[in-house]
Amino acid sequence: MKLAGLKSVDGAHEESIWAAAWAPAADHRPTALLLTGALDETVRAWRPDDLAAASPPARGHALGVLSLAAHPAGVIAAAVSLDSYIRVFDVDSGASVATLDAPPSEVWGVQFHPKGVALAAAGGGSGSVKLWDTEKWQPIASLPVPRPEGARPDKTGSGKFVLSVAWSPDGKLLACGSMDGTIAVYDAVRMKFLHHLEGHHMPVRSMVFSPVDPHVLFTGCDDSHIHIYDAKEKGLIGAMSGHASWVLSIDVSPDGMAVATGSSDRTVRLWDINARASVQTMSNHSDQVWAVAFRPPGGEGVRAGRLASASDDKSISLYDYS
Amino acid sequence: MASVYIPVQGTEEEVRVALDHLPQDASDILDILKAEQAPLHLWLIIAREYFKQGKIEQFRQILEEGSGPEIDEYYAEVKYERIAILNALGAFHTFFGKAERAPQKEAHFKEATQYYNRASRIDETEPSTWIGKGQLCVAKGELQMASDSFKIVLDEDGDNFPALLGQASVYFLMGDVEQQHKKALECYRNSLDLYKRALRAYTDCPPAVRLGIAFCRYKLGQLDRARQAFERVLQLDPENVDALVALAIMDLQTNEASGIRRGMEKMGRAFEIYPYCTLALNHLANHYFFTGQHFVVEQLTETALSSSNHGLLKSQSYYNLARSYHSKGDIETAGRYYMASVKEINKPQDFVLPFVGLGQIHLKFGDYKRSLASFEKVLEVHPENCESLKAIGNIYTNLGENDKAIETFKKVTRIDPKDHQAFVELGELLVESDWAAAMEYLKTARSLLKKASEKIPVELLNGIGLLYFEKAEFELAEQSFKEALGDGIWVSMMDGSVGRSMVSWSVQYRDQTFFHQLEEQMLVELPCDKVTTLFNYARLLEELQDTVKASLLYRLIIFKYPDYIDAYLRLAAIAKGKNNIQLSIELIGDALKINSKYPNALSMLGSLELQSDENWLTAKERFRDAKDATGGKDPYSLLQLGNWNYFAANRPEKKASKFEATHREKAKELFLNVLKQNQSNMFAANGIGILHAEKAQWDIAKELFTQVHEAASGSIFVQVPDVWINLAHIYFAQGLFQQAVKTYQNCLRKFFYNTDATILLYLARTHYEAEQWQECRNSLLRAIHLAPSNYLLRFNVGVSMQKFSASTLQKTKRTADEVRATVSELENAIRVFSLLSVASTYHSHGFDERKIETHVEYCKHLLDAAKVHRDAAEQAEQQTKQRLEVTRQIALADEARRRAEEQRKFQLERRKQEDELKQVMQQEQHFERVKEQWKHSSNSAGKRKDRSKHDDEDGESGKRRRKGGKRRKDQKTKMQYEEEEEDQYRNEPEEDDYATMTVGDRSGKAPDHLLAAAGLEDSDAEDETGHPQSAIERKRRSAWSESDDDEPARRPAEPSPRADDPSE
């Protein structure tokens, strides 16, 4: 299990890059595309192997792009900007499909349902997860994060700022992470809150379910730790430390053996899940690494594992994962 | 059955006295002896018998009676017997004088002298008297006089056996006393000769005489012959203890296992024969000390002590006893016996070992002065004794006299360049002052040990590891620590084979069930000499960010050593780092249960309370307790109190300004106090800088901050990001925005991995003041990205966009792009403000909804204006585009014309040439014709030709004129455009005036009101109050981390326990 740098593009955006996501290969397009979003208010698309620009930058993502998610079919993607709009667009043409918002709440992280039937968004200060259907783009649910038992009353009101969401690969569980470290798990079928996952006390900015074990959730937190939870059984089953600063992004490899993390300590780390240990540290970025993303399997000739990372240093990097 | 018969005076009868039935009361016998006027030799026999039976008093009674004046008178003629009695008494007193201590000793010798003198008065030449005198002199240590006495006898009778023996022993003793080796040997040789003579003179002499020979040979280094002599003694007298012991000692001295065994066997036999031989007892005790049978040692030495009066031997016995107690750890008893041992010694040269022991005991008790004195005694005898020198070095270390200590240890390394301990000590002494030298010494020690293939002590590797740690050489540090720790449970913890299942408790630091479970499966051990290293290793792991493993190690330490407070505090710090404040407080509580006065724990608790906002008042109590616990000497607690006062002064609560000033004064006083104790305390200097800055004394503050800033860029353990921030604040306050920005940015990058939203806010504010709107906006957006729940940032970003728009609209010249950007920014601002406004119904983030509304309204108004501008600008842009198109076409036309012209010119030229040619030809023709005319004489044809040429020219100019007309038309259209444009221009300024008017109005008078109403001023004010407050918060934070980080740095300075090791 290792990473090997393939290509980096400096100045991929004019400003700090905050989001990256792979749009999977689609019927009309044989290869996946890497999407990146930045403070420069653009979303750009890149070819999967040489990181050549695939289309001119799509503008209008006002105040900067916070989060990106691609629909599993690879045709559309959603970008969240600091102006609290979710702009759903066609990956290839850049044409707008829908613009969503959930006033008065902000929107932060977004994720499509693994089957693509719904879009979940972290509802920021509303302390909830918002869901839309992907056909008519109508809101279908708002799942509030209950206050954990015995928690002290939160005077500032900023505690339950929801930052991140994740669907389990079977679509049965939905989890969200907040500024105060609270992680809430929902039954995504019955739209019911299940329980909290304990252990973090700082912002959980990124989380992802294991593709091989639909109960296992990996979380990255500002406490610079990575936690491994059994989201179903409510148990912390692993913790890994090594980053010198916040863990900003986390993704799990398609084979489910490794997780990659990006941190404000300017590094990308690869972790062996079974050994619960860091196996590699990439230091090619010179500023916070806001996004790491493994390329989804599928498409023409893409046996090889690929990891992409995007950073505040305006660069994106592509690695071979093997 | 031996008896004596006392003849009854005047009869033939005799009284039979059975010698083994002598009456208890000597008076009975005396009565008989006196009454019957028994011959004096009978008196002597009976007295001697009493003596043999140990009835000393009776012996004395008889002989004293027998030497009384009556006897002298009555037996005046019986010279020999009277002398014999006196000599017996003299010998008796000599013997006791030898055994007793002063003053009885002196009394006995005096008595003895008197008796001998009386004997001499009876008969000067009696050899036995001289011999007795000689022995008395020997006892008194007057060897020369003794020798003289014996010589007198020997001069008379060269074979006088007792005199020979006496003289021999005198020489022997002289040899012992003699300082010079050669002379001493001479004495022994003389002694040996005399013993030989004695043996020749009296071949049947007791075997003890041969002992003399043996000892002399031994002293002369003729060990084999000495051994033969001793063995000979043993043949004659198998129970001769002296010979046995001597042989045993010789065996022991071979230093071979078999020799020692034989020696001990002999010692044992000697002990069985005569259990009171001190020498044998001492040796036996010595042996059993090394075999660790302390009970036997005590018994043996106690017997030895009770059976000897010889000072040196007693001293050795006490020493054995003391050593035994010492090694058992009963150092108080050991100390007493060492003292006893020392008291038996006249000068340290005789027996130096108890001084070593005593020194060690004093050292243990912390009585450095007396310890030093003891070791210096040792040095008097052995000036190059490394062990004592090292002990002295340790004493100096403990007394804080590092220079002397270093000097001492350096001396050790000079004497013995292979003494690794000294190198270790030197390394540890230099840890703080001279990193490179310390490293060098420790490495030397390590390589010495490696060469000797000895086990490298944990402390040494720990020290090397810490030095690397300090220089941030983490890999090397880790290697050292790992080597020091060796194999153990921690190895399996590190590689993950143990502890992977214990994740659930990697968060619950206080839950120790895992170790209990583990202990059921395997042995969980942690040797006490490795705890410190393990702790340091955990600190290193923390530094390497592997807090999961670090916390495991801390908990292992706590599991095995529940009183290791620092481990609790580190866990508390880790919990705090993960923002688990509740757990952190509980862990500190655990620490305080162990020691409620532990200043570090109190300080940490105080810091946590200060942050929690609810308990900030109790925080002061903690700091005060911490200060009291350290006797006010700990700068850290003083700093914290200072910070607390500063914090209290800046509390937003309503209070009299008087209190604010007192708090500030108090803070300053505390900071100055710290500086008084420690001039280079950066945190105190920083604090004072802040207080100056508060009073707007920028220059002083700047000076202070700059100095701290420079000083801080050294060690990895001291990081003072606050001083960067404070410096930047000063730049900001002085309007040096460029420098402020740079300093904020450097600080963010260097210390916070660009993750601190507050510093980004400072940065944005600086950009705002510098009117760099875009930078301001982006800084704020970054801050929001980092701290999304901070609504203040959102408000500020709205304000910055509003300001940007307003300022763009004020510009007299701007592009359509700029105006477009303005419009979209205004739309964004409105979006931000309206989101805030709606959100404020949900959250109480401290904004007045009305204010936000005003902002929204204002932005909307601006937007309307901006839209007009945009439309206008876009129109203008359109027109500019058209104009550009026209210009382009003109340019194209010009180009075409130019080409046409060229073409024409070219053609003209060609035609001209053709014409010329034609002309030439024509002329030629003409000439021909003229010639012909001349021949035929005619002129008219030439004129016609000329005219046709002119016509040609005319045609050309007509063409040109057409072209010129076209140009005029072009010019006209252009003029039209220009006119139109001019209109456009004319219109624009008017509009502009209006716009600037309105904008100016808004940014002039109304904005003031508006801004105030909208809370712009407020936001500034918030920023302002925000800055020093968070700076102090930062200060606290880093002060906290400073204290934590200080620990490993301090650790090497702790004395290693090795120096006190008793069994050395």
Side-chain angles (χ1 to χ4, degrees), chain B residues 657-674:
Chain B
S657 55
K658 195 177 75 186
F659 287 118
E660 206 175 301
T662 22
H663 277 309
R664 292 233 166 90
E665 266 318 299
K666 186 81 191 142
K668 189 171 180 179
E669 189 187 311
L670 285 156
F671 289 143
L672 283 173
N673 213 337
V674 175

Side-chain angles (χ1 to χ4, degrees), chain A residues 15-16 18 41 83 85 101 104 106 125 201 205 225 236-239 241-242 246 266 274 286-288, chain B residues 500 503 507 545-548 578-580 749 753-755 777-778 782 785-786 788 791 828 831 842-843:
Chain A
E15 269 293 350
S16 308
W18 287 347
E41 311 192 340
D83 63 357
Y85 283 114
D101 72 340
E106 300 84 0
H201 296 267
R205 292 177 195 264
H225 282 60
L236 176 63
I237 53 176
S241 56
W246 305 354
R266 301 159 200 155
N274 287 327
S286 60
D287 211 335
Q288 298 162 345
Chain B
R500 267 188 48 204
V503 251
V507 186
Q545 309 301 338
D546 202 343
T547 41
V548 170
K578 295 183 75 179
N579 203 27
N580 195 345
R749 193 166 174 82
Y753 293 105
N754 287 344
T755 58
R777 166 192 185 265
N778 281 357
R782 278 181 223 280
H785 188 211
L786 294 166
Y791 287 90
N828 286 336
R831 170 81 178 162
Y842 279 79
H843 308 293

Side-chain angles (χ1 to χ4, degrees), chain A residues 166-182:
Chain A
W167 294 89
S168 68
D170 56 8
K172 286 181 181 160
L173 295 175
L174 179 65
C176 73
S178 350
M179 276 301 275
D180 66 354
T182 314

Side-chain angles (χ1 to χ4, degrees), chain A residues 161-277:
Chain A
F161 194 102
V162 183
L163 283 170
S164 52
V165 285
W167 294 89
S168 68
D170 56 8
K172 286 181 181 160
L173 295 175
L174 179 65
C176 73
S178 350
M179 276 301 275
D180 66 354
T182 314
I183 298 166
V185 182
Y186 302 89
D187 179 334
V189 180
R190 285 183 289 166
M191 296 292 166
K192 243 185 67 198
F193 170 77
L194 291 177
H195 48 249
H196 289 293
L197 299 175
E198 309 281 334
H200 287 306
H201 296 267
M202 291 171 93
V204 177
R205 292 177 195 264
S206 183
M207 55 204 319
V208 65
F209 275 94
S210 161
V212 290
D213 188 345
H215 291 171
V216 172
L217 176 71
F218 303 100
T219 60
C221 177
D222 280 7
D223 63 18
S224 59
H225 282 60
I226 293 133
H227 281 183
I228 309 172
Y229 290 98
D230 185 328
K232 184 93 179 177
E233 298 299 326
K234 206 190 163 183
L236 176 63
I237 53 176
M240 302 188 285
S241 56
H243 276 303
S245 185
W246 305 354
V247 181
L248 302 173
S249 54
I250 187 165
D251 198 14
V252 61
S253 65
D255 59 11
M257 301 298 287
V259 287
T261 52
S263 161
S264 49
D265 69 6
R266 301 159 200 155
T267 65
V268 171
R269 271 181 187 253
L270 187 70
W271 308 80
D272 181 332
I273 296 170
N274 287 327
R276 305 260 195 272

Side-chain angles (χ1 to χ4, degrees), chain B residues 347-349 352 373-384:
Chain B
K347 51 187 189 296
Q349 276 79 356
V352 87
S374 294
F375 283 116
E376 274 169 352
K377 284 248 166 59
V378 181
L379 286 186
E380 277 175 31
V381 186
H382 305 287
E384 302 217 322

Side-chain angles (χ1 to χ4, degrees), chain B residues 8 42 168 179 181 243 263 289 344 353 435 439 532 818 839 864 881 998 1005 1052 1057:
Chain B
V8 180
L42 286 180
Q179 296 285 337
H181 187 61
F289 173 76
E344 295 291 337
L353 290 174
W435 188 90
M439 196 57 156
T532 307
E818 275 179 335
D864 290 342
K881 229 185 240 169
T998 47
K1005 261 193 281 165

Side-chain angles (χ1 to χ4, degrees), chain B residues 417-474:
Chain B
K418 293 197 169 163
D419 192 314
H420 55 86
Q421 284 177 350
F423 281 107
V424 172
E425 296 291 341
L426 274 173
E428 287 182 356
L429 279 166
L430 287 165
V431 155
E432 267 160 54
S433 52
D434 188 345
W435 188 90
M439 196 57 156
E440 195 55 42
Y441 282 126
L442 292 185
K443 277 184 172 170
T444 312
R446 188 176 60 178
S447 59
L448 280 173
L449 284 162
K450 273 200 179 140
K451 257 184 221 157
S453 58
E454 268 183 66
K455 196 183 166 296
I456 300 170
V458 177
E459 303 89 56
L460 171 57
L461 291 166
N462 183 40
I464 292 176
L466 275 175
L467 281 173
Y468 279 130
F469 194 177
E470 196 186 329
K471 274 279 172 306
E473 305 249 23
F474 297 131

